[in-house]
Amino acid sequence: MLTARERIERQMNDPALVRLHRKLSRLSSTVTMMNTGAHPDDEQSGMLAFLRLGLGIRVIIACSTRGEGGQNALGPERLGALGVLRTRELEEAARVLDADVLWLGHGPDDPVHDFGFSKDGNATFGRWGEQRIVERLVRAYRMERPDIVVPTFLDVPGQHGHHRAMTRAAETAISLAADPSAFPEHFSQGMTPWTVAKYYLPAWSGGGDTYDDEVPPPDATVTLRAVDRDPATGVEFDRIGEWSRYYHASQGMGHWPQNPKTNWPLHLKLSAERIETETSILDNIPASLSTLAEWDGLSSTIANALLTADAAIRAAIAAFPDRKTIARHLVEAAEQLDLVSTSAPQAFQALHRHRITRKQRQIDAALLEVAEIFERAYASPSSIAPGGSAVLSVTLGRGAAEAAIDVVPILPEGVTFTAQYGDNGQSIVLEAASDMPLSNLYLPSWSSMGGNGHAHIGISASIGGRTVSGSFDLEEPFSISPAQSLTLSPETLLVPFQSDQTEWSIKASIDGVQAPLSFRAPPGLSLKAGDDGWTVSATKPLEPGLTEILPHLGGLEAFRVTPIAFRHIGRTSFRQSAALSILSLDLKLPQGARVGYVGGGADRVGLWLARMGLEVTEMDAAALSGDLSRFTTIVVGIFAFGIRKDLAAATARLHRFVEEGGHLVTLYHRPSDGWHPQETPPRHIEIGSPSLRFRVTDPMAEVTVLAPEHPLLAGPNRIGSQDWQGWNKERGLYFAARWDDAYEPLLAMHDANEQPLKGGLLSAAIGRGRHTHTSLVLHHQMDKLVPGAFRLMANLVQPA
């Protein structure tokens, strides 16, 4: 349940009059536009703000992945957990734009997922399956019937391969969506062929710090021009776009445009009708009810009904904020559309029924808003286990007393309810069946009209003599989650070949309903419960490699549930199967190493160094300002110079630490992460830009060791070809492009058909100490338990 402060913040960010204006402005257009992209934050937010809030067009953001392969500037969430976080970020970003979201990929277990990076669309299709993503886009076109489709990026060399693949697939799907012989299985599911009227490409380059399109963008055939501001807030549309991008906080988004954009040039690539020149993207598209009235074959009665409904909608918008007058005009518009929906010719219905139906739903939503029917609904608790219960509280608005209200919770199958009525609304007792499946972490869509999540509220009310219906979301998402969360500490044991240890202690913490814990150990391993946890015993030498032991609670699969809570998205969680992993590897530790770790919360390197058996101190502001000579090595985590002001302030002290004999190890940073080439490292190191050119995306790319006898590669672990096997996602990114002559490049690697990059691992003897900078994704490889990453990291933290 939200706290009082959280409710205040929600209300401050969602004023009632702005909310009403949004619902009214939807009514002015009958056009749908779809913006396609590959990741949350790919949407062209300023342009979408203008289309939706300036022109009234319905906007759909079609996104192929959950962004689970990306980075996280906020915290340690990675992979599936990051996908949950970024899913919520896009939903909240869409809420600002009053836009809808359609997901084409469904998390890391789906073939269409964010696997990190590729430099070519074909490489992306090799992972996603081109036919698969095209079919999903055809389905999206047929379900949502967009008049206009605009991808955010161009399919050109120099672009992210995911972007290129999505743009190519979006275009391929245009003709197939209209083809009655393509994907005929859709028709048994209620869909029909659909012709997209216009397909535009952006007439701007996607170049910048990350990309550098190798070919210029196409010529503009039409330009969107935002000459006014948003009438509800008085804010420029491009700045409202940044309000939306603020919610992509995990990606460091949300900037203040000094000079907000007002023009977005577009290139018309495909059109259903031949167009020589166009003055507007709305040319040749039925953009209003009045335009629909001009359709050949309509009787004068139906045409007049459309014209009257359009005039009533315009009168309702003009009457803002006079609620009674607005309601009167909306009721009139609804009555006219009832006539159209029941009496228009079949041919008209086949082409335009979706526009009329959507307008009827939008009018109902506006009527419920103008009549102040609903205030809030929330479940307590918001998450229950199979067999559990919760109380769903519904508070109605002040207008509910004047209307006959019917409130019905819309719940997942297996959850039943009993309603109890009180003076301030309803309390509804929810009961989940004991055999209910757990809730899907990745829902397929999000609607600006409400009705989102695994449970929501349906309300019908009598307003102006007619019954209107709408859907309302709960304050926090409702879900069916495991009855327990199991946390093993540690959840991974690193066992060097050289170790004589045969027993290890782990602790098991169970949150939630207590249940007997058991482990199914493979031959050669046993687990025994004790007074203070469990003891893992090896009854014979461990085989090299990874062994997983699966725990069970009450005889059922055990899960670890990780809360995810940030101010901009609220509270949610991620769950994964609990497991005890044991990695047996050839690992030697440097003698006498005392490591200080400076993290920004974006990696777990400090944790892994400690689990390797090293002496590690997590360095806070006091440690950074204290005696650094107690450390032989200081490791700076990814992004940390951009995240921690105390670290940036300690730069000069770190340089002295190196000069006086310490070893400073910096993990990769973007140029935007407070990395100043002349100031941040002890000697000049410039991060390559655009970063597309300075990364190696193939995790199996050949690695050439340039200095095999260098101390960082020769010991205590001699780094060889086996250490580059089994890498996940990529080799490295944000490689250095230029550096001081003091630095020696130790490795070279490259993606196919590219020149070798030598800025992935640099080291320099400076004064009596050393600085080493690496752009290898070692933090991710250690999370994925890649043996070579631990061996190389052990070498990198050795004393200077």
Side-chain angles (χ1 to χ4, degrees):
M1 187 170 71
L2 297 184
T3 65
R5 193 171 187 85
E6 288 169 332
R7 283 204 177 119
I8 289 170
E9 290 174 348
R10 294 254 183 125
Q11 189 176 51
M12 289 167 60
N13 291 329
D14 188 29
L17 285 180
V18 173
R19 192 168 61 244
L20 174 58
H21 195 279
R22 297 284 185 254
K23 288 181 169 58
L24 291 173
S25 67
R26 292 175 184 164
L27 304 175
S28 61
S29 175
T30 54
V31 175
T32 294
M33 177 269 189
M34 182 179 288
N35 182 203
T36 63
H39 317 98
D41 79 16
D42 279 355
E43 65 274 14
Q44 182 54 242
S45 307
M47 182 183 76
L48 299 187
F50 172 62
L51 291 171
R52 167 58 199 89
L53 307 177
L55 302 182
I57 291 173
R58 181 196 179 203
V59 167
I60 304 170
I61 300 166
C63 187
S64 60
T65 78
R66 308 296 175 128
E68 60 269 61
Q71 301 169 87
N72 184 1
L74 293 181
E77 293 83 8
R78 291 289 181 276
L79 301 176
L82 181 58
V84 169
L85 168 58
R86 295 188 71 184
T87 294
R88 286 289 299 120
E89 287 185 329
L90 182 53
E91 291 171 353
E92 292 303 319
R95 191 191 305 277
V96 173
L97 302 174
D98 199 38
D100 298 338
V101 180
L102 190 65
W103 297 103
L104 304 175
H106 310 300
D109 294 333
D110 184 58
V112 180
H113 68 275
D114 183 356
F115 54 85
F117 208 94
S118 72
K119 297 177 180 177
D120 179 81
N122 290 332
T124 301
F125 284 142
R127 299 285 293 270
W128 289 357
E130 184 171 7
Q131 179 82 348
R132 180 182 292 109
I133 190 64
V134 167
E135 184 276 330
R136 293 184 186 184
L137 276 162
V138 169
R139 178 182 295 273
Y141 294 167
R142 288 172 172 175
M143 286 174 54
E144 304 298 338
R145 300 194 153 204
D147 302 287
I148 300 166
V149 173
V150 184
T152 299
F153 297 99
L154 297 169
D155 177 18
V156 296
Q159 263 297 324
H160 192 323
H162 296 181
H163 297 163
R164 298 184 64 181
M166 269 300 288
T167 298
R168 194 187 314 171
E171 181 172 339
T172 301
I174 297 286
S175 59
L176 294 175
D179 184 353
S181 66
F183 305 110
E185 65 273 17
H186 292 177
F187 308 136
S188 63
Q189 299 165 17
M191 288 173 270
T192 56
W194 175 248
T195 300
V196 174
K198 296 181 179 181
Y199 176 77
Y200 290 96
L201 292 176
W204 61 79
S205 172
D209 291 339
T210 304
Y211 313 116
D212 59 343
D213 297 355
E214 292 182 0
V215 297
D219 294 336
T221 58
V222 68
T223 299
L224 291 168
R225 301 185 190 278
V227 295
D228 297 318
R229 300 185 179 199
D230 171 39
T233 62
V235 176
E236 297 93 338
F237 294 105
D238 195 40
R239 286 216 170 102
I240 292 178
E242 290 302 320
W243 291 5
S244 174
R245 300 195 74 71
Y246 159 88
Y247 285 95
H248 294 299
S250 70
Q251 306 307 296
M253 299 291 178
H255 303 289
W256 180 261
Q258 195 64 34
N259 298 298
K261 285 184 183 178
T262 56
N263 296 339
W264 292 272
L266 298 172
H267 172 83
L268 183 61
K269 178 74 182 294
L270 300 172
S271 60
E273 299 180 17
R274 183 178 178 82
I275 299 176
E276 296 295 339
T277 60
E278 58 178 345
T279 59
S280 165
I281 63 168
L282 300 179
D283 291 350
N284 294 49
I285 293 176
S288 67
L289 294 175
S290 292
T291 309
L292 290 178
E294 300 170 2
W295 193 79
D296 287 341
L298 285 184
S299 67
S300 60
T301 300
I302 300 303
N304 285 335
L306 288 166
L307 292 170
T308 302
D310 191 64
I313 286 171
R314 284 188 280 109
I317 294 172
F320 177 84
D322 183 344
R323 292 178 180 269
K324 288 186 178 180
T325 304
I326 293 170
R328 185 175 72 251
H329 289 305
L330 291 182
V331 168
E332 180 184 9
E335 290 172 346
Q336 297 298 321
L337 292 182
D338 287 346
L339 177 61
V340 175
S341 66
T342 56
S343 303
Q346 186 61 38
F348 178 89
Q349 299 276 23
L351 280 176
H352 301 301
R353 180 189 293 113
H354 67 286
R355 303 185 200 275
I356 304 303
T357 300
R358 184 164 60 249
K359 206 57 57 188
Q360 289 173 311
R361 287 186 60 216
Q362 290 173 340
I363 289 174
D364 275 10
L367 280 168
L368 289 167
E369 185 66 43
V370 79
E372 299 178 283
I373 297 299
F374 175 82
E375 185 169 325
R376 73 174 61 88
Y378 58 90
S380 182
S382 59
S383 177
I384 61 176
S389 63
V391 175
L392 179 59
S393 299
V394 181
T395 303
L396 299 176
R398 63 181 180 178
E402 303 174 10
I405 306 293
D406 186 26
V407 177
V408 178
I410 312 301
L411 304 169
E413 185 177 353
V415 178
T416 58
F417 71 93
T418 304
Q420 301 174 353
Y421 295 85
D423 294 338
N424 296 321
Q426 284 185 263
S427 293
I428 302 170
V429 178
L430 308 181
E431 300 281 350
S434 59
D435 59 350
M436 274 203 70
L438 302 178
S439 296
N440 185 356
L441 295 174
Y442 308 97
L443 289 172
S445 62
W446 188 90
S447 173
S448 59
M449 297 282 288
N452 298 298
H454 294 286
H456 60 275
I457 299 296
I459 292 183
S460 297
S462 177
I463 301 175
R466 63 182 289 108
T467 300
V468 300
S469 302
S471 299
F472 297 89
D473 296 342
L474 306 187
E475 286 184 332
E476 292 186 294
F478 175 80
S479 64
I480 306 298
S481 299
Q484 308 93 0
S485 174
L486 174 64
T487 301
L488 301 176
S489 181
E491 81 282 359
T492 302
L493 298 174
L494 299 177
V495 182
F497 293 168
Q498 298 79 10
S499 174
D500 294 330
Q501 187 174 357
T502 59
E503 289 189 350
W504 302 268
S505 296
I506 63 169
K507 294 184 182 298
S509 173
I510 301 173
D511 291 330
V513 179
Q514 295 299 300
L517 173 63
S518 60
F519 293 87
R520 296 180 182 175
L525 288 167
S526 66
L527 284 96
K528 183 178 180 181
D531 295 335
D532 192 32
W534 290 70
T535 298
V536 183
S537 300
T539 58
K540 63 179 183 178
L542 295 176
E543 294 291 330
L546 181 64
T547 301
E548 286 197 339
I549 301 176
L550 299 179
H552 288 73
L553 287 168
L556 301 176
E557 179 182 6
F559 292 93
R560 179 175 182 178
V561 180
T562 304
I564 300 173
F566 293 99
R567 187 172 179 176
H568 66 301
I569 64 159
R571 289 179 285 272
T572 184
S573 64
F574 174 72
R575 71 170 183 269
Q576 60 194 117
S577 296
L580 174 63
S581 300
I582 303 176
L583 178 62
S584 177
L585 74 167
D586 182 9
L587 176 66
K588 302 180 184 69
L589 301 180
Q591 295 296 313
R594 300 182 306 279
V595 180
Y597 168 70
V598 188
D603 63 57
R604 301 199 304 164
V605 170
L607 173 68
W608 287 120
L609 290 171
R611 288 188 180 172
M612 288 161 63
L614 290 160
E615 179 185 331
V616 180
T617 300
E618 297 270 354
M619 298 183 69
D620 57 14
L624 280 169
S625 62
D627 179 14
L628 301 185
S629 67
R630 62 193 178 106
F631 303 108
T632 63
T633 310
I634 294 177
V635 179
V636 177
I638 65 172
F639 308 155
F641 276 104
I643 295 172
R644 290 185 52 171
K645 293 181 180 179
D646 59 335
L647 173 62
T651 300
R653 303 190 81 246
L654 291 174
H655 291 184
R656 286 198 301 274
F657 168 75
V658 173
E659 296 278 357
E660 294 170 0
H663 188 184
L664 175 65
V665 179
T666 50
L667 306 186
Y668 74 69
H669 278 64
R670 300 166 293 196
S672 59
D673 292 322
W675 186 275
H676 305 290
Q678 299 281 13
E679 302 168 12
T680 305
R683 298 290 185 271
H684 178 88
I685 294 179
E686 183 179 341
I687 308 301
S689 179
S691 70
L692 177 78
R693 299 298 178 194
F694 294 93
R695 60 177 74 200
V696 177
T697 62
D698 181 358
M700 299 309 295
E702 183 178 353
V703 176
T704 300
V705 177
L706 301 176
E709 298 306 319
H710 191 279
L712 297 184
L713 299 178
N717 304 286
R718 178 164 288 279
I719 302 303
S721 59
Q722 76 282 357
D723 293 300
W724 306 108
Q725 301 302 310
W727 279 48
N728 180 269
K729 196 168 76 165
E730 58 209 345
R731 288 290 194 204
L733 59 168
Y734 307 113
F735 279 51
R738 284 166 286 278
W739 49 84
D740 188 277
D741 289 343
Y743 290 98
E744 180 181 3
L746 306 184
L747 305 171
M749 61 194 76
H750 62 90
D751 281 323
N753 303 315
E754 294 186 1
Q755 293 299 311
L757 295 175
K758 298 182 179 181
L761 180 59
L762 306 172
S763 192
I766 298 172
R768 300 202 309 271
R770 177 173 295 280
H771 173 227
T772 300
H773 180 74
T774 181
S775 300
L776 301 175
V777 288
L778 293 172
H779 72 289
H780 176 77
Q781 306 310 321
M782 289 191 287
D783 285 345
K784 302 300 288 187
L785 302 181
V786 176
F790 292 100
R791 287 166 47 81
L792 180 55
M793 183 59 79
N795 286 15
L796 295 186
V797 299
Q798 63 184 283

